[in-house]
Amino acid sequence: ETGVTQSPTHLIKTRGQQVTLRCSSQSGHNTVSWYQQALGQGPQFIFQYYREEENGRGNFPPRFSGLQFPNYSSELNVNALELDDSALYLCASSLEQWSSYEQYFGPGTRLTVT
Amino acid sequence: AQSVTQLDSQVPVFEEAPVELRCNYSSSVSVYLFWYVQYPNQGLQLLLKYLSGSTLVKGINGFEAEFNKSQTSFHLRKPSVHISDTAEYFCAVSGGTSYGKLTFGQGTILTVHP
């Protein structure tokens, strides 16, 4: 059984640029959640996708957007990058949206905005 | 709205000593409670969870936690720690209309000294 994978591992971008982060769910999981973890902080919920539809969103601006594909992999897109967007971005997958307390996390993508 | 407070940002302890990491939560509805561990440069790994039933929950690596509804607490304990337990530990809650969203505490860095 393949776990949750994320790419790339690390990324450096310049303020104002756009970035796309990718996540492959654990086999059989149809729900993906994205979290932002700033340095020294706990993860914060960005949004969740269930069967290709956004299914809940945290307190993040619209420049944070996502996609989920038919194979349940997912992308997180961030436009107009700001310095405060520098963080570890974590993807988590789960079997069904209402069992999403069973969330399995990937290793994360470390984004640095300069 | 839900919130989680981890009462200690850092806990130093000697190897083979017992440890308790404290977590309090705030929620107006029934909750699910979790402890995750994060090793350096890695994602989150689920240690244990409370969904319902027995208030004493046993997890991986010899950890256990006790759900106390009257004190709104979910403290993590281990009777004898190892060097390899050195990591950051996060308490998290979900529930109510936010079953799909985990709300995390700020984290507790556990450092085990030889």
Side-chain angles (χ1 to χ4, degrees):
Chain A
E1 186 177 85
T2 307
V4 178
T5 60
Q6 293 185 243
S7 63
T9 306
H10 295 90
L11 202 53
I12 300 174
K13 289 287 189 178
T14 303
R15 189 171 49 186
Q17 287 187 316
Q18 178 265 343
V19 69
T20 297
L21 310 182
R22 295 178 174 83
C23 171
S24 291
S25 304
Q26 186 161 317
S27 178
H29 287 187
N30 60 19
T31 302
V32 173
S33 303
W34 285 92
Y35 293 83
Q36 180 195 66
Q37 186 179 15
L39 199 61
Q41 305 290 321
Q44 288 199 306
F45 177 75
I46 302 175
F47 43 55
Q48 182 183 84
Y49 278 81
Y50 170 66
R51 297 191 174 185
E52 303 177 57
E53 299 280 337
E54 187 179 292
N55 178 47
R57 188 179 184 92
N59 189 26
F60 281 82
R63 59 189 185 85
F64 285 79
S65 63
L67 281 173
Q68 188 180 30
F69 301 100
N71 66 353
Y72 303 131
S73 65
S74 177
E75 287 182 354
L76 165 65
N77 299 290
V78 187
N79 294 320
L81 283 166
E82 300 178 359
L83 296 179
D84 284 349
D85 296 333
S86 295
L88 180 68
Y89 288 85
L90 296 164
C91 165
S93 75
S94 51
L95 188 58
E96 288 285 344
Q97 66 175 137
W98 297 121
S99 68
S100 53
Y101 47 78
E102 298 274 9
Q103 296 192 21
Y104 296 84
F105 283 82
T109 293
R110 174 75 62 187
L111 173 65
T112 302
V113 182
T114 62
Chain B
Q2 298 166 338
S3 66
V4 176
T5 302
Q6 292 184 240
L7 298 164
D8 307 291
S9 58
Q10 296 192 51
V11 173
V13 65
F14 286 107
E15 194 173 18
E16 297 183 7
V19 71
E20 178 180 80
L21 306 184
R22 298 180 294 167
C23 171
N24 286 100
Y25 69 92
S26 172
S27 176
S28 58
V29 297
S30 296
V31 296
Y32 298 142
L33 292 156
F34 311 85
W35 277 97
Y36 283 85
V37 61
Q38 187 175 37
Y39 298 102
N41 300 313
Q42 294 188 28
L44 299 174
Q45 180 183 10
L46 181 65
L47 274 179
L48 49 78
K49 60 184 182 285
Y50 171 78
L51 306 179
S52 64
S54 172
T55 57
L56 183 62
V57 178
K58 293 190 182 297
I60 63 172
N61 300 342
F63 284 94
E64 63 181 33
E66 185 154 19
F67 170 58
N68 187 319
K69 188 174 181 179
S70 62
Q71 297 187 7
T72 60
S73 68
F74 191 55
H75 300 334
L76 181 71
R77 301 185 183 101
K78 186 169 183 178
S80 176
V81 295
H82 303 289
I83 297 287
S84 60
D85 292 322
T86 295
E88 190 159 18
Y89 293 79
F90 292 95
C91 181
V93 62
S94 74
T97 57
S98 303
Y99 280 117
K101 165 188 171 183
L102 287 170
T103 299
F104 286 88
Q106 296 283 76
T108 298
I109 297 173
L110 173 65
T111 304
V112 181
H113 298 285

